[in-house]
Amino acid sequence: MSVLIGVGIATTITAIYLGRKGWKALHKAAGITPGVLEYHDYNAPLSLSKVSWQELKLNKKHLLGLPDHQLRQLQRIDKKVTSYQAYQKTQPDQEKTSAVTEQQFVLNKMLHTRLPEVLASHYNLATINSNTSNSTTQQTSREKKAEASELLQQVLSNIEERLDRLLEQMETQHLQELRVMKNYIDSHDS
């Protein structure tokens, strides 16, 4: 009788343990954490206080007044730079010495020097307060601010396109290396 009670207790404890593990695994597979209810509306406007940068070193003050689509584009650029930097860091692990191409050098200069300068210039122009009552001067000021916003958008798009091309080159290079290895292995089968 005591053996049956012992087996029953052991079975119950095992069932509870495995059930709990399964429940947590199910939540993990679904990408949620049990007990934490937090909804993120990805279409809601970004708040500068919640925006964080992984690779880009940007002055948050210079981001004030940027439209939501430009902040989101900056976040996409930051994620792509993070992917690129992660790739660059794995190169020494693979015992490959990678020479910096002109494309990589220019992109690095744009990301770490020119982008902060452009954002600072845009911020300075956007915060200039025209105290004149002359309507012509105010109209000219609005036109300049609109042009500055368009120029900033062009710079962001240019940087993102360059990053996309560089990431595409990396993928193509790795695919080509895999093809070469496969052909080498196939040629030595016999």
Side-chain angles (χ1 to χ4, degrees), residues 68-182:
D68 191 58
H69 71 277
Q70 287 181 337
L71 283 175
R72 289 187 189 282
Q73 189 170 20
L74 278 168
Q75 278 195 317
R76 281 194 315 268
I77 289 171
D78 187 52
K79 287 178 184 174
K80 290 175 183 181
V81 170
T82 302
S83 296
Y84 173 71
Q85 293 296 341
Y87 164 76
Q88 289 296 94
K89 288 176 184 170
T90 63
Q91 290 303 97
D93 294 342
Q94 298 174 1
E95 297 179 8
K96 292 182 180 179
T97 306
S98 63
V100 175
T101 65
E102 179 181 357
Q103 210 177 15
Q104 292 168 328
F105 178 80
V106 169
L107 182 64
N108 192 39
K109 184 76 169 177
M110 283 183 171
L111 288 169
H112 300 292
T113 305
R114 299 298 176 233
L115 180 59
E117 289 174 356
V118 167
L119 289 169
S121 293
H122 180 269
Y123 172 78
N124 289 334
L125 183 64
T127 57
I128 290 176
N129 190 5
S130 59
N131 291 329
T132 61
S133 60
N134 187 354
S135 64
T136 308
T137 306
Q138 289 178 348
Q139 178 66 26
T140 305
S141 177
R142 280 194 297 272
E143 289 172 359
K144 287 179 182 177
K145 289 177 183 178
E147 182 182 359
S149 200
E150 179 62 32
L151 290 171
L152 176 62
Q153 183 60 50
Q154 289 174 0
V155 167
L156 293 176
S157 296
N158 185 318
I159 289 173
E160 190 170 18
E161 287 171 15
R162 287 175 184 262
L163 263 169
D164 288 339
R165 284 194 305 263
L166 199 57
L167 291 170
E168 178 68 30
Q169 278 180 346
M170 288 173 8
E171 287 176 351
T172 304
Q173 177 186 352
H174 286 294
L175 184 59
Q176 185 62 30
E177 288 175 4
L178 283 171
R179 288 178 183 147
V180 167
M181 290 291 203
K182 182 196 174 295

